[in-house]
Amino acid sequence: MKKKTIFALGGAVAVSAILVIAVVFSGAYPKKDATQVRLQPDNLQLVAMGKKIYDANCASCHGRDFKGEANWRERRDDGLLPAPPHDETGHTWHHPDDLLFALTKYGPAKMIGDGYQSAMPGFEKVLTDEEIIASLSYIKSRWPKEIRMRHDQMNKSAAQ
């Protein structure tokens, strides 16, 4: 494996770890968000609303097909990471509902802090909490059954 790929993969893992630590220990978002967030990929009305929101706000970077941007694990010349895929090949499903919600609402830069920069904006002033949950529910509805089941188990573990 090329050194550049190993470093990029290590960087992606490190960013994920930092996000989890930031959410768990920093209180970067209100606790009410964490206890109220549950994605609903089987709620057809919510998923339909989520598709519209995703298409209007997320697809331009993450793709209508959820494939993300090319070379999403490697920083671009500007130092920012490209948008990751939201399908089963990405890491979206590796995070519990409350973290996905917080990342979407506040953006990675605010979640991580310490001058971290990200191309991903926070949608706090653009989308309502329900719209964020709808868009994330739409994303989850497109994952294979096995991935959805693993994500559900992760949510149970995170709630304990």
Side-chain angles (χ1 to χ4, degrees):
M1 195 179 271
K2 294 181 182 178
K3 284 185 181 182
K4 187 175 180 182
T5 303
I6 291 171
F7 286 124
L9 186 57
V13 170
V15 168
S16 293
I18 290 168
L19 288 172
V20 170
I21 291 167
V23 169
V24 172
F25 296 108
S26 74
Y29 65 97
K31 292 295 181 195
K32 70 181 182 86
D33 289 346
T35 59
Q36 293 178 353
V37 174
R38 286 298 157 248
L39 303 186
Q40 302 171 46
D42 297 320
N43 180 333
L44 298 180
Q45 185 176 4
L46 188 68
V47 167
M49 180 174 102
K51 180 184 182 336
K52 291 176 184 174
I53 294 162
Y54 179 90
D55 287 348
N57 296 279
C58 313
S60 62
C61 294
H62 295 282
R64 290 195 189 281
D65 60 358
F66 304 100
K67 298 293 183 198
E69 295 179 312
N71 303 314
W72 63 274
R73 290 183 176 107
E74 298 178 24
R75 293 196 181 277
R76 301 183 302 218
D77 290 340
D78 63 5
L80 302 178
L81 288 167
H86 283 320
D87 63 10
E88 68 276 6
T89 67
H91 60 80
T92 306
W93 64 271
H94 296 177
H95 305 298
D97 291 352
D98 57 344
L99 180 56
L100 294 175
F101 176 83
L103 285 169
T104 306
K105 184 168 183 170
Y106 303 111
K110 187 172 182 180
M111 296 290 298
I112 295 172
D114 289 334
Y116 181 82
Q117 294 184 359
S118 173
M120 167 79 178
F123 287 89
E124 182 175 20
K125 296 179 181 172
V126 177
L127 301 174
T128 66
D129 288 359
E130 181 185 21
E131 289 171 328
I132 293 170
I133 292 169
S135 65
L136 292 170
S137 294
Y138 168 62
I139 292 167
K140 184 171 180 174
S141 77
R142 309 306 297 169
W143 296 339
K145 183 178 178 180
E146 178 185 327
I147 297 295
R148 286 174 58 180
M149 288 173 34
R150 290 174 67 185
H151 188 253
D152 290 342
Q153 185 59 46
M154 182 186 315
N155 281 315
K156 287 179 186 174
S157 296
Q160 295 175 348

